[in-house]
Amino acid sequence: KMAQAFELLKPGVRADVKKAHNLDPDKDYTQDPQCVQCHTTGYGAAGGFESVDKTPDLTGVQCEACHGAGSEFTKPELMSFDNKEFKLADVVAAGLNPKPDLATCQHCHNDKNPFNKPFDFESRKAQGVHQLFPLKYAHE
């Protein structure tokens, strides 16, 4: 769902939910800075989302939004599909965030969010963010 978060900003998408939160369901929110900061990856940061035209691959909340810069993940010694000896310690040593915490989530799940409801980090963590998208190799 998070990877598709940008779609929610488009006119007519989930109109009933937008109306229930006093938002115009016909408005295009895809260029609203208040919205794109939480519905894209890296907005406002070097190498992050700029616009749909310039950085279309950064729409939605991608892995990097919670775990760190994608350029770090592409290092062969970390996340190469050939590296079946993946170690969590290697990710931490590279400065990445393997286990985002409540503060990471609250960057978007907060009182500034018009859809905010109490965010229960522990129950969301227990649901398993990656359960629908299994990882190719087991992580320790």
Side-chain angles (χ1 to χ4, degrees), residues 49-63:
F49 178 82
E50 294 180 47
S51 70
V52 175
D53 293 333
K54 291 182 182 178
T55 53
D57 292 342
L58 295 175
T59 60
V61 181
Q62 309 297 327
C63 305

Side-chain angles (χ1 to χ4, degrees), residues 1 20-21 58 66 78 87 94 98-99 103 105 112 132 138:
K1 288 183 178 181
H21 289 88
L58 295 175
C66 301
L78 290 180
K87 301 281 187 269
K99 296 182 179 183
C105 300
K112 294 178 185 174
L132 294 176

Side-chain angles (χ1 to χ4, degrees), residues 31-131:
Q31 295 180 36
D32 184 324
Q34 294 283 25
C35 300
V36 298
Q37 67 183 334
C38 289
H39 287 259
T40 62
T41 299
Y43 177 75
F49 178 82
E50 294 180 47
S51 70
V52 175
D53 293 333
K54 291 182 182 178
T55 53
D57 292 342
L58 295 175
T59 60
V61 181
Q62 309 297 327
C63 305
E64 294 88 352
C66 301
H67 294 289
S71 59
E72 296 300 316
F73 284 103
T74 61
K75 292 181 178 178
E77 63 272 20
L78 290 180
M79 298 289 273
S80 168
F81 289 121
D82 296 328
N83 180 8
K84 294 178 177 63
E85 298 300 318
F86 176 81
K87 301 281 187 269
L88 188 61
D90 295 335
V91 173
V92 174
L96 301 172
N97 185 3
K99 296 182 179 183
D101 57 12
L102 175 60
T104 303
C105 300
Q106 285 181 325
H107 175 76
C108 294
H109 294 274
N110 59 48
D111 292 340
K112 294 178 185 174
N113 177 338
F115 298 93
N116 187 51
K117 50 188 165 190
F119 183 77
D120 186 342
F121 177 74
E122 291 303 321
S123 69
R124 293 292 281 275
K125 184 172 72 171
Q127 290 173 4
V129 174
H130 297 111
Q131 284 182 343

